[in-house]
Amino acid sequence: MSDKDTKVSSVLSAANSGASTWDPAKEHLSTGFPPIKAMGTKFAFDADEIERLRALGSRVAEIAALPIQKEKIKLWTAHNDLKTKQPVVFIDPENGWNELVTTKELQCHDNMARVWEMHLLKLIYWHEHLKDDKVIEPYFDVHYSFTDNGWGLDLKKEGGENAGAYKIVAPLQDYEKDFPKIHYPEIEIDWEESDRVLALAHEVFDGILTVRRRPVWWWSMGMTVDYIMLRGLENFLCDFILEPDYMHKTMRLMTDGIMKKLDRFEEEGLLALNTEGAYVGSGGLGYTDELPNWANAPEKITTQDMWGFEESQETSTVSAEMYGEFIFPYHKEIAARFGLNCFGCCESTTTRWQYVRQIPNLRRVSISAWAEWEKVPEYLGDRYIASFKPIPSPLAMPVLDEDEVRGTIKRALDCSRDCIPELIMKDNNTLGNNPRNASRWVEICREEIGNL
């Protein structure tokens, strides 16, 4: 793969998974298409590129018009509104997409055109091959072009080349000296460039797909990963005992910074609903009748009209009591702003359930491979969505261990009888160079659901 294709592939992965910045070290921090400034686009596609994008857009529109999409929307809506116990199946292979739809299939040359092309190819692949409960919608969404200056201290890391492993070199070394340098993040929108991208999307897709400006400004509001980017993982974990006052001060500052950002988004009309086909939490789509949708959206959207998401997978090794003292109060404060909330990713939500259940407007709870699945009926019952996240490692092998996959799915379903389960596959770094692994996982889920 060329250097250009490596860069574009990273941008494409970010666009698909929702990351709004092209930085392999930060892809999971926020969501949306990557900022246009990162793409090296010339803001003008040639005739062949436009023809290619229109052809793919037409195929997506055909898929979106199929009756099965309405059936899936009804399922997700009833599921999210706690009105059905039918399990929902969703797979987003994340980095595994590089083995499902490769850059060799791209015909466009402009980097932004290639990102758009890959996005459409993935939607088509989702429908034709994965066959999960992903809804294909007749929209083409674009973000704003923007910059975000972060928390005031530059991210420093060792390693990380080609999206590989890296170690944080803590820029917040000395609280006394460095803490005053931290500031609230400020977002600057390039309106001229944003309008050029929107106009280009209209030029390409009008009459085929509905073009929308749909900014997605965050993935998680858990804050602990941002904290670690400043402090380093080892220092962060030690701070629970050695620097408790500064840990509270830092969490307070980050919470205030997020609140101010949300205030600005609301005041300036910069929010978009995530209550339909948007990816919410650490897995699932946002369809619900309990919050506004695109058809009845208020003139100015607030966070009360939206799904929120809090998680702290980085604190999996600390006690529930430490999470409750140092992290939970800030999660609870932010969550109170949202109409519905998702909680958790890879951490064990069951071991800190006494705090998780206090999250305001809690609806979706991640049940990771490290959670106590047998406690789901007692803790969640039919009052919350149990978002099961089977471990992805079996899909990383060239030959799928179907017995292991089937056993895990069967266990999840057995542990959620009379509950409201969803089966989510994500966090795939590879599919073992065997694309069939992804679609076969969905088939096994369907087979076990059929055996209920």
Side-chain angles (χ1 to χ4, degrees):
M1 183 180 291
S2 68
D3 290 342
K4 178 179 179 181
D5 276 354
T6 299
K7 177 177 179 179
V8 171
S9 181
S10 297
V11 175
L12 298 173
S13 296
N16 177 72
S17 66
S20 73
T21 112
W22 181 66
D23 181 343
K26 291 186 174 182
E27 283 187 7
H28 59 295
L29 296 182
S30 52
T31 58
F33 281 107
I36 308 306
K37 292 179 182 298
M39 294 189 191
T41 180
K42 60 182 183 295
F43 293 102
F45 304 156
D46 62 33
D48 289 340
E49 290 172 324
I50 291 175
E51 181 180 2
R52 168 68 166 168
L53 293 173
R54 286 179 174 165
L56 293 176
S58 295
R59 176 59 182 144
V60 169
E62 290 175 359
I63 296 170
L66 295 174
I68 193 173
Q69 308 304 339
K70 291 183 179 179
E71 295 174 13
K72 291 180 179 180
I73 290 171
K74 289 180 181 178
L75 173 60
W76 278 107
T77 303
H79 173 73
N80 287 331
D81 294 349
L82 309 181
K83 294 180 179 179
T84 182
K85 295 177 181 178
Q86 179 180 340
V88 178
V89 180
F90 177 75
I91 181 171
D92 184 347
E94 298 187 4
N95 196 58
W97 274 112
N98 294 325
E99 298 162 25
L100 299 178
V101 183
T102 71
T103 55
K104 293 179 180 179
E105 299 179 47
L106 300 180
Q107 298 177 19
C108 295
H109 304 288
D110 179 274
N111 279 355
M112 187 166 68
R114 288 164 70 82
V115 168
W116 291 8
E117 182 183 12
M118 180 65 88
H119 171 68
L120 298 170
L121 285 169
K122 288 178 178 179
L123 294 178
I124 295 167
Y125 191 97
W126 233 311
H127 170 75
E128 294 182 348
H129 299 282
L130 297 182
K131 300 183 184 300
D132 64 351
D133 290 317
K134 163 75 172 177
V135 179
I136 307 301
E137 299 179 305
Y139 307 126
F140 188 84
D141 296 331
V142 295
H143 207 305
Y144 294 101
S145 182
F146 69 97
T147 55
D148 183 340
N149 66 0
W151 296 102
L153 296 175
D154 293 334
L155 171 66
K156 299 178 181 179
K157 61 185 181 181
E158 293 177 350
E161 294 80 9
N162 298 318
Y166 62 94
K167 177 180 179 180
I168 295 297
V169 181
L172 179 56
Q173 289 280 353
D174 184 318
Y175 276 114
E176 294 283 343
K177 181 180 67 174
D178 298 328
F179 187 83
K181 301 175 185 177
I182 302 176
H183 61 61
Y184 300 146
E186 296 177 356
I187 287 177
E188 182 178 347
I189 298 173
D190 186 330
W191 291 98
E192 180 181 357
E193 186 171 288
S194 297
D195 289 343
R196 289 178 69 188
V197 175
L198 186 64
L200 183 56
H202 278 294
E203 177 187 342
V204 174
F205 296 112
D206 275 357
I208 301 172
L209 297 171
T210 299
V211 174
R212 306 182 299 183
R213 176 171 278 162
R214 180 182 165 271
V216 184
W217 296 108
W218 63 83
W219 173 66
S220 163
M221 292 190 174
M223 295 178 285
T224 50
V225 69
D226 284 9
Y227 199 148
I228 290 167
M229 293 295 181
L230 295 175
R231 187 72 174 131
L233 179 59
E234 295 88 348
N235 291 336
F236 170 76
L237 293 175
C238 290
D239 285 349
F240 282 89
I241 296 173
L242 302 179
E243 297 284 359
D245 291 341
Y246 266 113
M247 175 157 275
H248 275 297
K249 286 179 68 175
T250 305
M251 291 299 295
R252 178 73 265 160
L253 184 147
M254 288 187 163
T255 301
D256 290 345
I258 287 176
M259 290 294 199
K260 287 182 178 294
K261 187 186 292 188
L262 295 178
D263 287 342
R264 180 195 171 189
F265 290 158
E266 290 183 347
E267 291 165 2
E268 298 183 17
L270 297 175
L271 292 174
L273 294 175
N274 58 358
T275 54
E276 294 189 350
Y279 183 94
V280 294
S282 57
L285 304 184
Y287 290 99
T288 175
D289 284 338
E290 296 186 20
L291 297 173
N293 56 43
W294 288 96
N296 63 5
E299 183 175 348
K300 187 169 285 190
I301 295 165
T302 72
T303 51
Q304 280 296 312
D305 304 316
M306 302 177 66
W307 289 87
F309 177 44
E310 299 76 35
E311 48 75 43
S312 186
Q313 52 197 319
E314 298 79 23
T315 60
S316 293
T317 56
V318 309
S319 68
E321 291 72 22
M322 282 186 171
Y323 167 78
E325 177 181 351
F326 292 99
I327 310 298
F328 170 71
Y330 308 101
H331 280 174
K332 185 176 181 181
E333 184 176 342
I334 291 174
R337 291 193 64 145
F338 290 86
L340 291 172
N341 278 294
C342 309
F343 187 90
C345 192
C346 289
E347 69 267 49
S348 173
T349 51
T350 51
T351 56
R352 54 183 61 165
W353 180 246
Q354 69 266 43
Y355 300 106
V356 174
R357 64 185 177 85
Q358 298 179 52
I359 292 289
N361 305 318
L362 180 63
R363 179 56 55 86
R364 174 177 270 107
V365 180
S366 178
I367 307 298
S368 75
W370 296 274
E372 298 163 285
W373 289 15
E374 286 72 19
K375 292 186 177 180
V376 166
E378 175 189 355
Y379 288 176
L380 275 67
D382 60 0
R383 302 176 301 280
Y384 311 95
I385 296 165
S387 186
F388 284 93
K389 312 285 173 45
I391 196 164
S393 55
L395 278 69
M397 306 303 293
V399 178
L400 182 69
D401 186 336
E402 294 197 8
D403 290 339
E404 180 179 358
V405 170
R406 192 176 299 277
T408 301
I409 297 304
K410 181 175 173 54
R411 179 179 169 228
L413 295 174
D414 286 345
C415 290
S416 59
R417 293 182 184 273
D418 297 321
C419 299
I420 301 179
E422 59 187 24
L423 303 172
I424 308 292
M425 177 52 63
K426 58 191 292 291
D427 297 323
N428 304 92
N429 283 316
T430 177
L431 294 170
N433 290 311
N434 182 1
R436 175 68 177 143
N437 285 351
S439 55
R440 183 59 186 145
W441 182 85
V442 175
E443 291 172 359
I444 293 173
C445 289
R446 300 285 195 212
E447 292 168 5
E448 289 306 312
I449 291 171
N451 291 332
L452 290 177

